[in-house]
Amino acid sequence: MSNPAPAAKSSFLAKTLGPLLSDPPWAAKSFMAASATTVAGVGAWLSDMMSPALARGGASFIGGFLVGWAFRKTLKIALLITLSLAALVAILKTTGWIHLEWNLIQSDVNRTLDWARGQAQSLKEVAVGYLPSAGAGAAGAIFGFRKK
């Protein structure tokens, strides 16, 4: 007898991760070009033909690309969740099931946005510190966000 559980698990994973990985970053032309550049740079550096600058630039572009791609995916999911919650709150408010204190909500939102700005600034500083080439990393982030 065969066990149908593995098929069900793979189907669940395919349904869950399918939309997220339907447009993978490694399929982009710029990502493949940066990967080839990085490999060529590492090869040239290891054979003492040139400095590791080419490999570092390519790796920075790849890192930035992945950050930009992940940010775009996260932004889409966050927007979907936010719109769903806003619709739910509007329905509950219209039916009279909830009463909202807008002053408290506004202060909570402002405090959360201030925290998020601080975290984004910290992330930017860490990323710039770890990426050998901030310019290539920034270009990669832009291309990753646009997925070109």
Side-chain angles (χ1 to χ4, degrees), residues 23-48:
D23 195 18
W26 49 85
K29 292 176 185 171
S30 60
F31 187 88
M32 289 188 285
S35 299
T37 301
T38 303
V39 169
V42 168
W45 176 42
L46 291 176
S47 64
D48 288 332

Side-chain angles (χ1 to χ4, degrees), residues 74-147:
T74 304
L75 191 62
K76 284 182 178 181
I77 292 169
L79 185 61
L80 179 66
I81 291 171
T82 302
L83 291 176
S84 299
L85 287 176
L88 179 65
V89 167
I91 290 169
L92 291 176
K93 178 126 176 76
T94 303
T95 59
W97 285 23
I98 60 171
H99 176 70
L100 301 174
E101 295 288 335
W102 290 109
N103 293 334
L104 292 175
I105 293 171
Q106 184 178 8
S107 67
D108 284 344
V109 167
N110 288 337
R111 187 177 52 234
T112 302
L113 288 176
D114 289 339
W115 174 82
R117 280 187 207 105
Q119 294 300 315
Q121 182 66 28
S122 298
L123 178 63
K124 179 183 134 192
E125 291 170 5
V126 168
V128 167
Y130 279 108
L131 292 176
S133 173
I142 291 168
F143 275 75
F145 188 78
R146 294 181 60 208
K147 175 95 177 33

